[in-house]
Amino acid sequence: MKTYIVGNWKLNFTVGEASIYLHKLLKTLPNYRDIEIVAAPSTVALQPLSLQIDRHKMKLAAQNAFYRDYGAFTGETSFTQLRGLVDYAIIGHSERRYILGEDDKTVAKKVAAAIRNKLTPILCIGETESERAFGETADVIRDQLLGGLSEVADDDLDKVIIAYEPVWAISSGKGAKLATPDEISEVVKLIRKILGETYGTKLAEQVPVLFGGSVNASNAGAYLTVPGVNGLLIGGASLILNEFADIIEIAKRVRV
Ligand code: PGA
């Protein structure tokens, strides 16, 4: 399986800044066959960056889109419109769940819409600090995982990527803490167990599981060696060119 290094730029960079960043990043990148490098700029930058990107070196992701393909949905962008611009779409990020009110039903429709439009959904799941404190982590993971996949046909499970992002470890959260490799390993095992029970172990093993939450160049190596982790979803550190490039280098070393 490939190692995925995904930079989630969130609401940062103007289109011009994004273009300059991408230009510099592409210059530093050789063509890594086993590492899938992905950047998720804001929607407004996707069209120009899709013309600029070298798809042999890296790919683009949307940070979100609407689940209907066309129609009277003022202000929305559909996965259909993103076809040809991006290969991936981040769906159900905790900032969308908790700041923008997205529930599992909406997330499920978006995951299905991404697949219908031949884009790979990166379904984000993760518990909050209080859910963890109350011992609810396993239930939250199960609900968000099976809820988010509820409109995916079994045959399409191999088209999905899961990102485990404990909300308490994301630096947008107040007082983010670093997740330990043991904490991550436990939840990643649980994710594969739930997938295995629902879809069969063979299919479950094919689903890449990424980790995200305050990943940087100092901890990327440790996180990438957690058993079952196939890559990283990186917010803040992906905005710093040298740091993101260092993480890609680390991913390359960890694979050898
Ligand atoms: P962070 O964000 O790396 O800044 O914690 C990760 C994410 O929200 O995807």
Side-chain angles (χ1 to χ4, degrees):
M1 194 184 290
K2 283 186 180 180
T3 300
Y4 293 83
I5 301 294
V6 184
N8 176 8
W9 296 358
K10 307 190 180 182
L11 212 174
N12 294 291
F13 292 156
T14 62
V15 176
E17 287 164 348
S19 172
I20 292 167
Y21 179 104
L22 189 71
H23 175 75
K24 289 185 184 159
L25 180 64
L26 286 169
K27 271 213 289 199
T28 72
L29 288 183
N31 194 343
Y32 292 128
R33 244 190 314 137
D34 298 326
I35 304 180
E36 182 81 333
I37 301 159
V38 182
S42 53
T43 309
V44 74
L46 290 175
Q47 203 274 337
L49 296 200
S50 77
L51 300 175
Q52 186 186 340
I53 203 151
D54 176 348
R55 286 188 169 79
H56 297 293
K57 291 188 174 180
M58 62 179 291
K59 306 277 183 2
L60 289 175
Q63 296 177 16
N64 173 48
F66 190 55
Y67 52 78
R68 294 286 292 273
D69 293 342
Y70 302 99
F73 304 104
T74 302
E76 296 294 339
T77 302
S78 71
F79 292 95
T80 307
Q81 291 172 317
L82 293 171
R83 277 177 90 150
L85 304 188
V86 302
D87 289 279
Y88 296 89
I90 298 172
I91 298 177
H93 190 280
S94 58
E95 286 150 18
R96 296 209 57 83
R97 292 176 189 267
Y98 299 111
I99 304 173
L100 294 143
E102 255 180 44
D103 59 14
D104 284 328
K105 272 202 177 134
T106 308
V107 170
K109 286 185 194 163
K110 292 185 175 189
V111 170
I115 294 175
R116 179 168 78 238
N117 284 288
K118 312 256 178 300
L119 308 179
T120 302
I122 302 173
L123 168 62
C124 299
I125 59 175
E127 79 287 0
T128 62
E129 188 170 23
S130 66
E131 287 163 345
R132 176 164 279 260
F134 284 111
E136 295 165 1
T137 301
D139 287 341
V140 172
I141 293 298
R142 176 177 294 275
D143 288 351
Q144 292 186 356
L145 182 62
L146 296 182
L149 295 175
S150 60
E151 295 197 22
V152 176
D154 289 13
D155 286 357
D156 285 334
L157 188 70
D158 60 349
K159 301 190 174 85
V160 174
I161 295 176
I162 305 296
Y164 170 51
E165 295 208 305
V167 182
W168 48 271
I170 294 179
S171 39
S172 57
K174 279 188 209 119
K177 287 188 227 133
L178 283 186
T180 66
D182 283 349
E183 286 167 331
I184 299 166
S185 164
E186 202 183 315
V187 176
V188 169
K189 260 193 230 149
L190 174 70
I191 291 172
R192 285 236 159 68
K193 182 166 173 275
I194 297 168
L195 290 176
E197 287 164 359
T198 316
Y199 301 94
T201 39
K202 203 162 157 250
L203 265 180
E205 274 160 21
Q206 290 168 18
V207 177
V209 180
L210 318 186
F211 170 72
S214 302
V215 175
N216 56 40
S218 320
N219 58 29
Y223 288 153
L224 280 170
T225 44
V226 173
V229 168
N230 308 110
L232 303 168
L233 180 52
I234 306 153
S238 76
L239 301 172
I240 307 159
L241 183 70
N242 291 344
E243 181 123 20
F244 192 60
D246 284 351
I247 295 172
I248 295 165
E249 269 304 304
I250 292 164
K252 200 183 105 203
R253 261 184 274 138
V254 166
R255 276 196 75 94
V256 202

